[in-house]
């Protein structure tokens, strides 16, 4: 509050002692105006103040000084009491207002510190390791090329990272070599249940905590890999997977971290995906494809588009569905897949 000039004027006016006794109404008006100015943290205009006359000005300045002193003392007491867990009550409305503001200041600071710690903790949980790029094997290069264009388009349509789509498909299907991922089932992501009445019974590994057990379960069967990709993307529109979306996750690392515990119980699931993405530089598929001006490099006789500058994508409207709870029992398919936990939303997503 800027009251240095005001206080100097108080000293000057008091020393002159030229004012006549103020009327009671002027004193009340000046005191009320001074208290309101202090409570509202207003800067006092000296010219406006003097326009009310000498008596009013003198009374206002004295009351302003007094109210300012009370305000500061009560504010500091509110800060101290909130930190120590004490309480005080005031009959004076200036003191009571200042006291409450001191309490609120400490509360806000505490909330900000807590939020900062939570954000720091969350950042620490996100995989920070950088994995060195390497040449894909011929079957890996072939698999990436087979699904890259569909992954790019589906990522754009459903607000997902194409790099994660490709990495999950590679991890869950063992680079397109698992029985479930091949014809006639084309299930790249180990999605459980039936699709348009089509399903197949396959052995799988169930995780309960850190314990695993082999069981038989029904997995969706598709007519093509593209249909598998589309069904996977539609499934990720469930509220459970909100933080996997590009409009929510700041980068692919945050998105893969969001899959842990809901798509997979494997605590290293995000690290496995990040390693695939980094090793084979899959983030280039997160950038928009520019037709007619594609720079490329040849890796193992396969064409790979060079990275482009990322553009912000608008999230696709989510498919309507009720928010359901997720079972702690998550499926794992094959030896390479760490958790094919999209689950068909029938057996493992319960009301």
């Amino acid at each position: 509050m800027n009251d240095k000039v005001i206080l100097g004027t108080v000293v000057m006016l008091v020393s002159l002692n030229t004012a006549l006794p103020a009327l009671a109404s002027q004193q009340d008006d000046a005191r009320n105006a001074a208290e309101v100015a202090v409570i509202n943290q207003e800067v006092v205009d000296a010219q406006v103040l003097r326009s009310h006359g000498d008596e009013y000005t003198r009374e206002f300045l004295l009351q302003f000084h007094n109210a300012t002193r009370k305000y500061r003392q009560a504010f500091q007491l509110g800060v101290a009491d909130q930190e120590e867990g004490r309480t005080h009550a005031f009959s004076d409305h200036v003191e009571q207002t200042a006291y409450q503001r001191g309490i609120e200041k400490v509360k806000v600071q505490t909330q900000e510190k807590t939020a900062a710690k939570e954000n720091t903790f969350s950042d620490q949980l996100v995989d920070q390791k950088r994995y060195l790029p390497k040449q894909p094997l011929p079957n890996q290069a072939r698999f990436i090329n087979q699904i890259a264009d569909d992954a790019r388009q589906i990522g754009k349509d459903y607000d997902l990272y194409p790099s994660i789509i490709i990495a999950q498909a590679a991890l869950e299907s063992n680079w397109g070599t698992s029985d479930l991922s091949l014809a006639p089932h084309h299930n790249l992501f180990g999605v459980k249940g039936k699709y348009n009445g089509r399903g197949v019974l396959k052995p799988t590994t169930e995780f309960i905590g850190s314990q695993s057990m082999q069981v038989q379960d029904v997995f969706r069967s598709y007519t093509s890999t593209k249909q598998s990709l589309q069904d996977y993307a539609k499934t990720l529109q469930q509220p459970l997977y909100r933080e996997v979306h590009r409009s929510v996750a700041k980068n692919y690392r945050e998105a893969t971290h969001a899959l842990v515990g809901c798509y997979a119980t494997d605590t290293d699931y995000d690290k496995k995906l990040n390693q695939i993405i980094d090793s084979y530089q899959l983030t280039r598929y997160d950038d928009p494809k520019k037709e007619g001006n594609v720079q490329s490099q040849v890796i193992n006789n396969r064409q790979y588009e060079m990275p482009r500058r990322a553009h912000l994508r608008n999230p696709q409207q989510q498919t309507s569905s009720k928010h359901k709870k997720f079972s702690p029992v998550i499926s794992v398919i094959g030896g390479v897949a760490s958790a094919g936990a999209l689950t068909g939303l029938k057996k493992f997503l319960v009301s």
Side-chain angles (χ1 to χ4, degrees):
M1 184 180 300
N2 186 8
D3 61 346
K4 293 182 179 180
V5 176
I6 302 299
L7 296 179
T9 308
V10 170
V11 175
M12 179 187 70
L13 291 175
V14 172
S15 63
L16 291 176
N17 197 23
T18 59
L20 297 174
L23 298 175
S25 60
Q26 281 188 314
Q27 291 177 331
D28 290 341
D29 290 344
R31 181 177 63 255
N32 290 336
E35 290 179 349
V36 169
V38 171
I39 290 174
N40 294 336
Q41 302 288 281
E42 296 175 353
V43 176
V44 178
D45 190 319
Q47 290 184 347
V48 174
L49 184 59
R50 291 194 183 96
S51 67
H52 290 279
D54 291 343
E55 296 302 326
Y56 180 95
T57 300
R58 178 179 181 277
E59 187 67 21
F60 178 93
L61 293 171
L62 289 171
Q63 295 299 334
F64 184 89
H65 175 65
N66 184 48
T68 299
R69 178 179 51 80
K70 292 191 298 182
Y71 184 97
R72 288 172 176 168
Q73 291 176 349
F75 181 87
Q76 293 301 325
L77 182 60
V79 170
D81 281 2
Q82 179 62 23
E83 291 174 345
E84 299 295 332
R86 300 187 301 261
T87 57
H88 282 82
F90 297 89
S91 58
D92 184 273
H93 66 283
V94 173
E95 291 177 312
Q96 185 61 34
T97 299
Y99 182 76
Q100 289 298 326
R101 287 177 180 172
I103 291 175
E104 291 302 320
K105 179 181 180 180
V106 176
K107 288 182 178 180
V108 170
Q109 289 176 339
T110 301
Q111 291 173 353
E112 290 176 347
K113 290 179 181 179
T114 300
K117 289 180 180 179
E118 291 177 349
N119 290 337
T120 300
F121 181 68
S122 178
D123 291 342
Q124 290 174 347
L125 292 177
V126 175
D127 180 25
Q128 302 294 332
K129 184 177 179 180
R130 298 299 167 182
Y131 303 91
L132 295 177
K134 60 182 180 181
Q135 293 277 339
L137 298 174
N139 68 303
Q140 294 172 332
R142 182 166 54 252
F143 180 80
I144 292 172
N145 283 329
Q146 286 174 346
I147 68 171
D149 286 342
D150 286 336
R152 188 198 297 272
Q153 185 61 49
I154 288 171
K156 179 180 179 181
D157 292 342
Y158 291 91
D159 188 35
L160 300 171
Y161 284 93
S163 60
I164 297 178
I165 296 175
I166 298 171
Q168 279 194 274
L171 182 62
E172 296 295 344
S173 71
N174 194 14
W175 295 95
T177 63
S178 69
D179 289 341
L180 188 62
S181 67
L182 297 172
H185 307 301
H186 306 287
N187 190 333
L188 297 178
F189 300 94
V191 183
K192 285 188 174 182
K194 291 185 177 182
Y195 184 83
N196 293 337
R198 290 167 52 92
V200 58
L201 188 66
K202 288 285 184 180
T204 184
T205 302
E206 301 291 352
F207 274 81
I208 303 177
S210 59
Q211 301 298 317
S212 64
M213 58 184 297
Q214 291 292 322
V215 297
Q216 295 282 328
D217 217 329
V218 176
F219 292 85
R220 295 186 182 187
S221 181
Y222 304 99
T223 58
S224 66
T225 56
K226 186 172 183 178
Q227 193 175 68
S228 175
L229 285 159
Q230 290 175 333
D231 186 48
Y232 154 87
K234 290 177 181 178
T235 303
L236 260 64
Q237 302 310 298
Q238 297 285 334
L240 179 67
Y241 304 106
R242 176 180 177 274
E243 294 184 1
V244 178
H245 288 226
R246 297 190 73 162
S247 59
V248 179
K250 291 184 294 186
N251 51 61
Y252 76 92
R253 291 291 180 111
E254 288 191 2
T256 57
H257 179 65
L259 290 168
V260 178
C262 60
Y263 186 92
T265 54
D266 183 355
T267 56
D268 290 329
Y269 193 68
D270 56 338
K271 298 179 179 64
K272 293 176 181 179
L273 293 177
N274 294 339
Q275 184 173 15
I276 293 174
I277 292 170
D278 287 359
S279 296
Y280 307 114
Q281 303 174 61
L282 300 183
T283 54
R284 63 175 161 274
Y285 297 108
D286 294 338
D287 302 331
K289 185 176 181 180
K290 296 183 178 179
E291 301 295 343
N293 185 27
V294 178
Q295 294 177 323
S296 63
Q297 59 179 346
V298 178
I299 300 179
N300 286 349
N301 297 321
R302 298 292 178 177
Q303 294 294 318
Y304 282 78
E305 292 173 18
M306 294 294 288
R308 303 287 185 183
R309 181 174 298 174
H311 288 254
L312 180 65
R313 286 172 169 76
N314 294 324
Q316 184 79 4
Q317 184 176 3
Q318 294 188 356
T319 56
S320 60
S321 61
K322 295 182 179 178
H323 195 169
K324 300 180 179 180
K325 296 179 182 178
F326 198 72
S327 167
V329 181
I330 308 298
S331 232
V332 176
I333 62 168
V336 173
S338 55
L342 291 181
T343 72
L345 303 179
K346 291 184 178 179
K347 181 175 181 181
F348 296 105
L349 289 181
V350 296
S351 300

